[in-house]
Amino acid sequence: MADTPTPVDLCRDLIRFDTTNHGNGNAAGERAAAEYVAGHLTAAGLDPVLLERSPGRSNVLTRIPGANPHLPAILAHAHLDVVPADPADWTVPPFAGELRDGRLYGRGATDMKDVCAMLLTVAHRWAASNTRPQRDIVLAFVADEEDRGIDGAEWLVDKHPDLFEGVAAAISETGGYTHHVNGTHLYPVATAERGTAHLRLTARGRAGHGSRPNTDNAVTHLVHTLARIADHPWPVRLTPTVRAYLERTGKALGIPVDLTDDAGVDATIAALGEAGMIAATTVRASSTPTVLDAGYKVNVIPSTATAQIDVRTLPGIEDEVLATIDELLGPDITREFVAHQTPVEAPIDSDWFDAMAAALRAEDPDAVVVPYCMGGGTDAKAFTKLGIDCFGFAPLLLPPDYDYRVQAHGVDEHIPVDALEFGTRVLSHFLQK
Protein backbone atom coordinates (compact mmCIF):
# COMPACT_ATOMS: atom_id res chain seq x y z
CA MET A 1 0.00 0.00 0.00
CA ALA A 2 1.95 2.96 -1.34
CA ASP A 3 0.06 5.53 0.65
CA THR A 4 0.48 3.85 4.05
CA PRO A 5 1.02 6.74 6.49
CA THR A 6 4.18 7.05 8.54
CA PRO A 7 4.17 7.37 12.33
CA VAL A 8 5.40 10.95 12.11
CA ASP A 9 2.52 11.81 9.72
CA LEU A 10 0.01 10.34 12.14
CA CYS A 11 1.58 11.82 15.26
CA ARG A 12 1.72 15.24 13.63
CA ASP A 13 -1.97 15.05 12.73
CA LEU A 14 -2.92 13.90 16.23
CA ILE A 15 -0.98 16.74 17.87
CA ARG A 16 -3.06 19.19 15.82
CA PHE A 17 -6.20 18.04 17.62
CA ASP A 18 -6.41 20.09 20.80
CA THR A 19 -7.47 17.47 23.34
CA THR A 20 -6.51 19.47 26.42
CA ASN A 21 -7.76 18.03 29.69
CA HIS A 22 -7.99 20.69 32.41
CA GLY A 23 -9.42 18.23 34.93
CA ASN A 24 -12.72 17.93 36.77
CA GLY A 25 -14.61 17.38 33.53
CA ASN A 26 -13.25 20.53 31.87
CA ALA A 27 -11.74 19.22 28.64
CA ALA A 28 -11.54 20.17 24.99
CA GLY A 29 -12.95 16.74 24.22
CA GLU A 30 -11.36 13.79 22.49
CA ARG A 31 -14.09 13.13 19.91
CA ALA A 32 -12.43 14.71 16.86
CA ALA A 33 -9.18 12.86 17.55
CA ALA A 34 -11.11 9.66 18.21
CA GLU A 35 -12.94 9.94 14.89
CA TYR A 36 -9.58 10.43 13.16
CA VAL A 37 -8.22 7.30 14.84
CA ALA A 38 -11.35 5.32 13.97
CA GLY A 39 -11.00 6.37 10.34
CA HIS A 40 -7.47 4.99 10.15
CA LEU A 41 -8.46 1.76 11.88
CA THR A 42 -11.26 1.35 9.38
CA ALA A 43 -8.85 2.01 6.51
CA ALA A 44 -6.69 -0.79 7.93
CA GLY A 45 -9.61 -3.17 7.60
CA LEU A 46 -10.70 -3.14 11.25
CA ASP A 47 -14.05 -2.48 12.91
CA PRO A 48 -13.57 0.18 15.58
CA VAL A 49 -16.28 1.28 18.02
CA LEU A 50 -16.59 4.70 19.64
CA LEU A 51 -17.86 4.78 23.22
CA GLU A 52 -18.64 7.80 25.38
CA ARG A 53 -19.66 8.27 28.98
CA SER A 54 -19.86 12.05 28.50
CA PRO A 55 -20.49 13.96 25.26
CA GLY A 56 -17.27 14.54 23.36
CA ARG A 57 -15.17 12.31 25.63
CA SER A 58 -14.69 9.51 23.10
CA ASN A 59 -12.89 6.19 23.44
CA VAL A 60 -12.00 4.06 20.41
CA LEU A 61 -11.58 0.29 20.63
CA THR A 62 -11.02 -2.48 18.14
CA ARG A 63 -9.84 -6.08 18.18
CA ILE A 64 -7.42 -7.55 15.64
CA PRO A 65 -8.19 -11.29 15.37
CA GLY A 66 -5.23 -13.58 15.93
CA ALA A 67 -4.40 -16.79 14.08
CA ASN A 68 -4.78 -18.81 17.29
CA PRO A 69 -7.89 -17.76 19.25
CA HIS A 70 -6.85 -20.05 22.12
CA LEU A 71 -3.87 -17.87 23.00
CA PRO A 72 -4.38 -15.10 25.59
CA ALA A 73 -4.88 -11.68 24.05
CA ILE A 74 -2.79 -8.52 24.44
CA LEU A 75 -4.18 -5.04 25.10
CA ALA A 76 -2.29 -2.02 23.76
CA HIS A 77 -3.79 1.15 25.20
CA ALA A 78 -2.96 4.82 24.71
CA HIS A 79 -4.71 8.01 25.76
CA LEU A 80 -5.89 10.76 23.45
CA ASP A 81 -6.03 13.62 25.97
CA VAL A 82 -3.14 15.89 26.91
CA VAL A 83 -2.34 18.32 29.70
CA PRO A 84 -2.63 22.09 29.10
CA ALA A 85 0.07 24.00 27.24
CA ASP A 86 0.43 27.78 27.50
CA PRO A 87 1.56 29.08 24.07
CA ALA A 88 3.30 32.02 25.79
CA ASP A 89 5.79 29.59 27.34
CA TRP A 90 6.59 27.71 24.14
CA THR A 91 8.94 28.63 21.30
CA VAL A 92 6.65 26.80 18.86
CA PRO A 93 2.82 26.65 18.80
CA PRO A 94 1.98 23.66 21.02
CA PHE A 95 -0.73 22.30 18.71
CA ALA A 96 0.89 22.97 15.33
CA GLY A 97 2.92 19.77 15.04
CA GLU A 98 6.03 21.53 13.74
CA LEU A 99 9.03 19.59 12.43
CA ARG A 100 12.45 21.04 13.25
CA ASP A 101 15.84 19.40 12.80
CA GLY A 102 14.43 15.89 12.72
CA ARG A 103 12.21 16.38 15.76
CA LEU A 104 8.43 16.72 16.01
CA TYR A 105 7.19 19.38 18.44
CA GLY A 106 3.84 19.63 20.13
CA ARG A 107 1.80 18.84 23.21
CA GLY A 108 1.39 15.08 23.33
CA ALA A 109 4.50 14.31 21.26
CA THR A 110 5.66 11.98 24.05
CA ASP A 111 2.55 11.80 26.24
CA MET A 112 1.23 10.01 24.38
CA LYS A 113 0.17 10.69 20.84
CA ASP A 114 3.45 9.15 19.74
CA VAL A 115 2.22 5.73 20.88
CA CYS A 116 -1.20 6.33 19.30
CA ALA A 117 0.58 7.02 16.02
CA MET A 118 2.85 3.99 16.29
CA LEU A 119 -0.07 1.63 16.98
CA LEU A 120 -2.01 3.04 14.01
CA THR A 121 1.05 2.58 11.81
CA VAL A 122 1.38 -1.05 12.90
CA ALA A 123 -2.28 -1.61 11.96
CA HIS A 124 -1.77 -0.04 8.53
CA ARG A 125 1.43 -1.99 7.81
CA TRP A 126 -0.09 -5.28 8.88
CA ALA A 127 -3.03 -4.62 6.57
CA ALA A 128 -0.73 -3.75 3.68
CA SER A 129 1.35 -6.91 4.14
CA ASN A 130 -1.52 -9.22 5.10
CA THR A 131 0.18 -9.82 8.43
CA ARG A 132 -1.87 -11.54 11.13
CA PRO A 133 -0.72 -11.74 14.75
CA GLN A 134 -0.61 -15.05 16.60
CA ARG A 135 -3.13 -13.86 19.21
CA ASP A 136 -5.93 -11.30 19.42
CA ILE A 137 -4.75 -7.74 19.85
CA VAL A 138 -7.11 -5.24 21.48
CA LEU A 139 -6.31 -1.61 20.64
CA ALA A 140 -7.79 1.03 22.96
CA PHE A 141 -7.41 4.78 22.45
CA VAL A 142 -8.95 6.28 25.55
CA ALA A 143 -10.08 9.58 27.04
CA ASP A 144 -9.41 11.25 30.38
CA GLU A 145 -6.14 9.58 31.44
CA GLU A 146 -4.73 12.96 32.46
CA ASP A 147 -7.42 13.33 35.10
CA ARG A 148 -9.30 10.52 36.85
CA GLY A 149 -10.12 8.21 33.97
CA ILE A 150 -13.84 8.36 34.74
CA ASP A 151 -14.57 9.08 31.06
CA GLY A 152 -11.91 6.65 29.91
CA ALA A 153 -10.25 3.52 31.27
CA GLU A 154 -12.07 3.42 34.61
CA TRP A 155 -15.45 3.68 32.87
CA LEU A 156 -14.54 1.12 30.21
CA VAL A 157 -13.43 -1.39 32.83
CA ASP A 158 -16.60 -0.83 34.84
CA LYS A 159 -19.17 -0.72 32.03
CA HIS A 160 -17.57 -2.59 29.11
CA PRO A 161 -15.35 -5.33 30.54
CA ASP A 162 -16.51 -7.70 27.77
CA LEU A 163 -14.35 -5.74 25.30
CA PHE A 164 -11.27 -7.05 27.12
CA GLU A 165 -12.34 -10.68 27.27
CA GLY A 166 -9.37 -13.02 27.09
CA VAL A 167 -6.77 -10.28 27.61
CA ALA A 168 -3.90 -11.43 29.82
CA ALA A 169 -1.36 -8.63 29.38
CA ALA A 170 -1.39 -4.94 28.49
CA ILE A 171 1.18 -2.40 27.36
CA SER A 172 1.11 1.38 27.47
CA GLU A 173 3.21 4.44 28.29
CA THR A 174 6.41 5.16 30.21
CA GLY A 175 8.81 2.34 29.57
CA GLY A 176 11.02 0.73 26.96
CA TYR A 177 12.94 3.85 25.93
CA THR A 178 16.70 4.35 25.90
CA HIS A 179 18.72 5.56 28.84
CA HIS A 180 22.37 6.05 27.84
CA VAL A 181 24.42 5.22 30.95
CA ASN A 182 28.20 4.81 30.69
CA GLY A 183 27.91 3.57 27.12
CA THR A 184 25.13 1.11 27.97
CA HIS A 185 21.74 1.19 26.24
CA LEU A 186 19.47 0.66 29.23
CA TYR A 187 15.78 0.05 28.52
CA PRO A 188 13.67 0.00 31.70
CA VAL A 189 10.26 -1.63 31.17
CA ALA A 190 7.68 -0.75 33.80
CA THR A 191 6.33 -3.76 35.67
CA ALA A 192 4.96 -1.78 38.65
CA GLU A 193 3.51 1.58 39.63
CA ARG A 194 3.40 3.34 42.96
CA GLY A 195 -0.08 3.88 44.34
CA THR A 196 -1.68 7.26 44.88
CA ALA A 197 -3.49 8.32 48.05
CA HIS A 198 -4.45 11.98 47.92
CA LEU A 199 -5.71 12.76 51.40
CA ARG A 200 -7.65 15.69 52.84
CA LEU A 201 -6.79 16.38 56.48
CA THR A 202 -9.24 18.31 58.66
CA ALA A 203 -8.24 19.84 61.99
CA ARG A 204 -10.89 21.01 64.44
CA GLY A 205 -10.50 23.38 67.36
CA ARG A 206 -12.11 26.24 69.23
CA ALA A 207 -12.87 29.42 67.35
CA GLY A 208 -11.81 32.66 68.96
CA HIS A 209 -10.25 36.08 68.75
CA GLY A 210 -6.80 36.19 67.22
CA SER A 211 -5.47 38.38 70.06
CA ARG A 212 -6.28 35.87 72.82
CA PRO A 213 -4.41 32.73 73.81
CA ASN A 214 -6.01 29.55 72.47
CA THR A 215 -4.56 26.10 73.14
CA ASP A 216 -7.16 24.49 70.87
CA ASN A 217 -6.23 26.29 67.65
CA ALA A 218 -7.17 24.23 64.55
CA VAL A 219 -4.48 25.93 62.45
CA THR A 220 -1.78 25.09 64.98
CA HIS A 221 -2.96 21.49 65.21
CA LEU A 222 -2.80 21.18 61.45
CA VAL A 223 0.60 22.83 61.02
CA HIS A 224 2.21 20.59 63.63
CA THR A 225 0.69 17.52 61.99
CA LEU A 226 1.92 18.55 58.54
CA ALA A 227 5.42 19.06 59.93
CA ARG A 228 5.39 15.53 61.36
CA ILE A 229 4.21 14.06 58.07
CA ALA A 230 6.68 16.03 55.95
CA ASP A 231 9.59 15.11 58.23
CA HIS A 232 8.74 11.42 58.60
CA PRO A 233 11.69 9.24 57.49
CA TRP A 234 10.01 6.59 55.38
CA PRO A 235 12.04 3.37 55.45
CA VAL A 236 13.25 1.50 52.38
CA ARG A 237 10.82 -1.15 51.15
CA LEU A 238 12.14 -3.03 48.15
CA THR A 239 9.46 -4.53 45.94
CA PRO A 240 10.43 -7.39 43.61
CA THR A 241 10.50 -4.95 40.68
CA VAL A 242 12.78 -2.40 42.35
CA ARG A 243 15.09 -5.05 43.76
CA ALA A 244 15.44 -6.62 40.31
CA TYR A 245 16.04 -3.21 38.73
CA LEU A 246 18.89 -2.36 41.10
CA GLU A 247 20.49 -5.81 40.89
CA ARG A 248 20.28 -6.15 37.11
CA THR A 249 21.27 -2.57 36.37
CA GLY A 250 24.24 -2.81 38.73
CA LYS A 251 25.36 -6.00 37.00
CA ALA A 252 25.02 -4.45 33.54
CA LEU A 253 27.04 -1.38 34.57
CA GLY A 254 29.61 -3.30 36.61
CA ILE A 255 28.69 -1.43 39.81
CA PRO A 256 28.52 -3.28 43.17
CA VAL A 257 25.05 -3.40 44.70
CA ASP A 258 24.35 -3.53 48.44
CA LEU A 259 20.71 -4.01 49.34
CA THR A 260 21.18 -5.29 52.88
CA ASP A 261 19.91 -2.17 54.65
CA ASP A 262 18.64 1.37 54.04
CA ALA A 263 22.13 2.84 53.97
CA GLY A 264 23.28 0.25 51.43
CA VAL A 265 20.30 0.94 49.16
CA ASP A 266 20.89 4.70 49.30
CA ALA A 267 24.60 4.19 48.55
CA THR A 268 23.75 1.89 45.64
CA ILE A 269 21.39 4.45 44.13
CA ALA A 270 24.08 7.12 44.44
CA ALA A 271 26.71 4.84 42.85
CA LEU A 272 24.41 4.07 39.91
CA GLY A 273 24.25 7.79 39.12
CA GLU A 274 21.69 8.63 36.44
CA ALA A 275 20.48 5.02 36.41
CA GLY A 276 19.98 5.20 40.16
CA MET A 277 17.69 8.18 39.80
CA ILE A 278 15.19 5.98 37.96
CA ALA A 279 14.68 4.02 41.19
CA ALA A 280 15.24 6.81 43.71
CA THR A 281 11.55 7.65 44.17
CA THR A 282 10.40 4.04 44.31
CA VAL A 283 12.43 2.55 47.16
CA ARG A 284 10.25 4.34 49.72
CA ALA A 285 6.77 5.65 50.18
CA SER A 286 6.41 9.44 50.23
CA SER A 287 4.08 12.00 51.80
CA THR A 288 4.09 15.61 50.64
CA PRO A 289 1.84 18.43 51.92
CA THR A 290 0.58 20.38 48.91
CA VAL A 291 -2.59 22.36 49.76
CA LEU A 292 -3.57 24.50 52.78
CA ASP A 293 -6.90 26.17 53.55
CA ALA A 294 -7.83 27.87 56.82
CA GLY A 295 -9.44 31.02 58.15
CA TYR A 296 -11.23 33.96 56.60
CA LYS A 297 -9.96 36.94 58.63
CA VAL A 298 -6.60 37.59 60.24
CA ASN A 299 -7.98 38.39 63.69
CA VAL A 300 -10.25 35.33 63.85
CA ILE A 301 -9.04 31.87 64.88
CA PRO A 302 -11.08 29.44 62.74
CA SER A 303 -12.73 26.33 64.14
CA THR A 304 -11.45 24.19 61.26
CA ALA A 305 -8.41 24.04 59.01
CA THR A 306 -7.79 21.68 56.10
CA ALA A 307 -4.85 20.49 54.05
CA GLN A 308 -4.21 18.02 51.28
CA ILE A 309 -1.24 15.69 51.13
CA ASP A 310 0.06 13.65 48.22
CA VAL A 311 0.91 10.19 49.53
CA ARG A 312 2.57 7.62 47.24
CA THR A 313 2.62 3.99 48.27
CA LEU A 314 4.36 0.86 47.01
CA PRO A 315 3.00 -2.58 46.14
CA GLY A 316 2.53 -4.62 49.29
CA ILE A 317 2.84 -1.82 51.85
CA GLU A 318 -0.16 0.45 51.29
CA ASP A 319 -1.86 -0.56 54.56
CA GLU A 320 1.37 0.01 56.45
CA VAL A 321 1.78 3.50 54.97
CA LEU A 322 -1.77 4.58 55.74
CA ALA A 323 -1.49 3.22 59.29
CA THR A 324 1.67 5.29 59.76
CA ILE A 325 -0.10 8.40 58.46
CA ASP A 326 -2.87 7.79 61.01
CA GLU A 327 -0.30 7.61 63.81
CA LEU A 328 1.18 10.92 62.67
CA LEU A 329 -2.18 12.69 62.57
CA GLY A 330 -2.84 12.98 66.28
CA PRO A 331 -6.22 13.12 68.04
CA ASP A 332 -7.45 16.42 66.55
CA ILE A 333 -7.09 15.51 62.87
CA THR A 334 -9.23 13.34 60.60
CA ARG A 335 -8.47 12.20 57.07
CA GLU A 336 -10.44 11.24 53.98
CA PHE A 337 -9.51 10.20 50.47
CA VAL A 338 -9.67 12.82 47.72
CA ALA A 339 -8.35 10.28 45.22
CA HIS A 340 -7.17 6.74 45.75
CA GLN A 341 -5.47 4.31 43.41
CA THR A 342 -3.76 1.23 44.76
CA PRO A 343 -0.24 0.31 43.63
CA VAL A 344 0.10 -2.39 40.97
CA GLU A 345 2.81 -4.88 40.05
CA ALA A 346 3.11 -7.43 37.25
CA PRO A 347 5.48 -10.42 37.27
CA ILE A 348 9.03 -9.39 36.46
CA ASP A 349 10.00 -12.81 35.11
CA SER A 350 7.41 -13.80 32.54
CA ASP A 351 7.03 -14.68 28.89
CA TRP A 352 5.56 -11.21 28.34
CA PHE A 353 8.64 -9.44 29.71
CA ASP A 354 10.93 -11.77 27.77
CA ALA A 355 9.03 -10.99 24.57
CA MET A 356 9.40 -7.24 25.14
CA ALA A 357 13.13 -7.66 25.71
CA ALA A 358 13.45 -9.76 22.55
CA ALA A 359 11.54 -7.17 20.51
CA LEU A 360 13.85 -4.41 21.70
CA ARG A 361 16.99 -6.45 20.98
CA ALA A 362 15.68 -7.24 17.49
CA GLU A 363 16.04 -3.53 16.68
CA ASP A 364 18.85 -2.61 19.09
CA PRO A 365 21.19 -5.59 19.71
CA ASP A 366 22.89 -3.60 22.50
CA ALA A 367 19.69 -3.24 24.49
CA VAL A 368 19.89 -4.11 28.20
CA VAL A 369 16.28 -4.57 29.32
CA VAL A 370 15.41 -4.32 33.02
CA PRO A 371 12.16 -4.01 35.01
CA TYR A 372 11.39 -0.83 36.92
CA CYS A 373 8.66 0.79 38.99
CA MET A 374 6.98 4.02 37.89
CA GLY A 375 6.90 6.81 40.43
CA GLY A 376 3.56 8.04 39.10
CA GLY A 377 0.61 6.26 37.55
CA THR A 378 -1.21 5.41 34.34
CA ASP A 379 -4.40 3.73 33.16
CA ALA A 380 -2.74 0.44 34.09
CA LYS A 381 -4.37 0.82 37.52
CA ALA A 382 -7.79 0.52 35.87
CA PHE A 383 -7.00 -2.43 33.62
CA THR A 384 -5.30 -4.34 36.44
CA LYS A 385 -8.76 -4.67 38.02
CA LEU A 386 -9.63 -7.11 35.23
CA GLY A 387 -6.75 -9.38 36.20
CA ILE A 388 -4.56 -8.07 33.37
CA ASP A 389 -0.78 -7.89 33.90
CA CYS A 390 0.12 -4.33 32.88
CA PHE A 391 3.47 -3.11 31.60
CA GLY A 392 4.88 0.27 30.64
CA PHE A 393 6.24 -0.45 27.18
CA ALA A 394 6.32 2.43 24.71
CA PRO A 395 9.62 1.71 22.93
CA LEU A 396 11.83 4.51 21.63
CA LEU A 397 15.50 4.62 20.63
CA LEU A 398 16.59 8.02 21.90
CA PRO A 399 19.85 9.93 21.31
CA PRO A 400 22.17 10.64 24.26
CA ASP A 401 21.40 14.38 24.24
CA TYR A 402 17.64 13.84 24.61
CA ASP A 403 16.17 14.03 28.13
CA TYR A 404 12.91 12.10 27.97
CA ARG A 405 11.99 12.87 31.58
CA VAL A 406 11.47 16.58 30.97
CA GLN A 407 9.27 16.08 27.90
CA ALA A 408 5.95 14.84 29.27
CA HIS A 409 3.94 17.86 30.51
CA GLY A 410 6.95 20.07 29.74
CA VAL A 411 7.49 23.14 27.58
CA ASP A 412 8.46 22.54 23.93
CA GLU A 413 7.63 18.84 24.22
CA HIS A 414 9.10 17.01 21.24
CA ILE A 415 10.23 13.63 19.97
CA PRO A 416 12.87 12.54 17.42
CA VAL A 417 11.31 11.33 14.18
CA ASP A 418 13.66 8.32 14.06
CA ALA A 419 12.43 7.26 17.49
CA LEU A 420 8.90 6.90 16.14
CA GLU A 421 10.04 4.54 13.37
CA PHE A 422 12.08 2.48 15.85
CA GLY A 423 9.16 2.21 18.24
CA THR A 424 6.79 1.15 15.47
CA ARG A 425 9.09 -1.70 14.46
CA VAL A 426 9.54 -2.87 18.05
CA LEU A 427 5.80 -2.80 18.73
CA SER A 428 5.18 -4.78 15.57
CA HIS A 429 7.69 -7.42 16.72
CA PHE A 430 6.13 -7.70 20.15
CA LEU A 431 2.48 -7.69 19.10
CA GLN A 432 3.17 -10.56 16.69
CA LYS A 433 4.38 -12.68 19.65
Side-chain angles (χ1 to χ4, degrees), residues 71 126 189 193 213 248 285 293 303-304 315 322 333 354 357 367 411 413 419:
L71 291 175
W126 283 3
V189 170
E193 295 182 7
R248 297 178 191 183
D293 186 16
S303 59
T304 62
L322 293 175
I333 313 289
D354 292 344
V411 172
E413 181 181 353

Side-chain angles (χ1 to χ4, degrees), residues 178-188 245 249 252-255 271-278 368 400 405:
T178 329
H179 289 264
H180 296 269
V181 185
N182 299 337
T184 298
H185 289 191
L186 194 68
Y187 288 86
Y245 173 80
T249 301
L253 299 179
I255 295 173
L272 290 173
E274 182 182 346
M277 294 304 297
I278 296 172
V368 175
R405 290 169 295 185

Side-chain angles (χ1 to χ4, degrees), residues 3 32 68 139 220 231 265 284 315 352 410:
D3 59 349
N68 187 346
L139 301 180
T220 303
D231 293 340
V265 171
R284 293 177 170 87
W352 303 115

